[in-house]
Amino acid sequence: EVHLVESGGGLVQPGGSLRLSCEASGFTFSSYWMHWVRQTPGKGLMWVSRITSDGSATSYADSVKGRFTISRDNAKNTLYLQMNSLRAEDTAVYYCARAGGVARFDPWGQGTLVTVSS
Amino acid sequence: DIQMTQSPSSLSPSVGDRVTITCRASQSIGDYLNWYQQKPGNAPKLLIYAASGLQSGVPSRFSGSGSGTDFTLTISSLQPEDFATYYCQQSDSTPYTFGQGTKLEIK
């Protein structure tokens, strides 16, 4: 069974950093592009970033470009999101998702909550 | 960015009802449109891909249609487990964007 498990969320002060991890199992991780998507009660779902299967290319939403970095370790079946210069508006549940077909997200992990507050 | 607009924002149907949710894109996206279902406390789940493709394991009462800018998700006969929030998402170009959601609430 395909399984994605996020970790690394928590409370961080504005301007701080956090690294999220997403451990994959049940499929050949190195064959799939991967995404991060976040969700807030007020602004709904927002795509954050994607990375190709070999990690050679990445893409970001404008609101996180220059602050967030997506990466992966295919030997460890793990996806990462390094988040720097965090702002209050980055507060959200962050999900990792496997890319199927043309940018459809399936499945999703259970999510990890990031709270940016002083 | 491509804006995705869903309607209605909420709906209070009864079990057995036929339910239709619409999603409009701010520009043509071909059939690059996906639908997700989300229940409270859970991650979204893919229902429909490429506008009309039924994801494996999803009941056949769910169907999708449309192309270009106008899309529809239909539940042919609503079941109790279908009360949830539904989102459309365009996969035509980055940034991939979602609709604001349609919440099906028990009447």
Side-chain angles (χ1 to χ4, degrees):
Chain A
E1 183 186 358
V2 175
H3 216 51
L4 298 170
V5 179
E6 300 95 336
S7 60
L11 175 64
V12 61
Q13 292 189 338
S17 298
L18 216 51
R19 188 176 84 155
L20 306 183
S21 299
C22 168
E23 188 169 343
S25 60
F27 66 102
T28 306
F29 180 69
S30 58
S31 296
Y32 287 85
W33 292 26
M34 296 292 294
H35 297 266
W36 286 99
V37 179
R38 71 187 186 188
Q39 184 171 31
T40 60
K43 292 199 169 184
L45 290 160
M46 189 192 95
W47 171 81
V48 173
S49 182
R50 74 156 186 223
I51 188 168
T52 55
S53 55
D54 63 358
S56 62
T58 59
S59 183
Y60 298 91
D62 283 347
S63 59
V64 307
K65 200 174 295 182
R67 300 187 299 123
F68 290 13
T69 302
I70 190 172
S71 63
R72 65 192 296 160
D73 185 335
N74 284 345
K76 294 183 177 179
N77 290 342
T78 303
L79 175 73
Y80 302 101
L81 186 68
Q82 177 67 44
M83 303 186 296
N84 298 331
S85 303
L86 282 161
R87 306 166 180 167
E89 54 264 35
D90 295 318
T91 294
V93 174
Y94 284 74
Y95 296 99
C96 63
R98 187 179 71 172
V102 180
R104 58 181 182 255
F105 309 125
D106 177 65
W108 302 51
Q110 87 288 351
T112 187
L113 176 62
V114 172
T115 304
V116 184
S117 175
S118 55
Chain B
D1 298 1
I2 299 173
Q3 307 303 316
M4 306 300 294
T5 303
Q6 285 181 238
S7 60
S9 296
S10 65
L11 208 48
S12 297
S14 299
V15 172
D17 284 354
R18 181 180 182 89
V19 173
T20 299
I21 300 168
T22 64
C23 179
R24 176 164 288 176
S26 60
Q27 64 189 69
S28 179
I29 57 172
D31 66 352
Y32 293 110
L33 191 284
N34 307 308
W35 289 98
Y36 301 85
Q37 176 194 66
Q38 186 177 33
K39 297 182 179 179
N42 290 343
K45 171 190 169 185
L46 179 66
L47 297 177
I48 301 288
Y49 62 91
S52 60
L54 187 67
Q55 177 67 359
S56 176
V58 174
S60 59
R61 63 181 179 273
F62 291 92
S63 64
S65 64
S67 67
T69 60
D70 294 311
F71 302 87
T72 299
L73 173 70
T74 300
I75 309 172
S76 59
S77 179
L78 195 70
Q79 298 302 300
E81 59 268 30
D82 300 336
F83 287 94
T85 301
Y86 294 84
Y87 296 93
C88 62
Q89 173 244 332
Q90 64 83 13
S91 55
D92 178 71
S93 60
T94 58
Y96 305 119
T97 46
F98 293 82
Q100 82 280 13
T102 296
K103 186 173 183 180
L104 299 190
E105 300 174 292
I106 299 174
K107 185 180 286 187

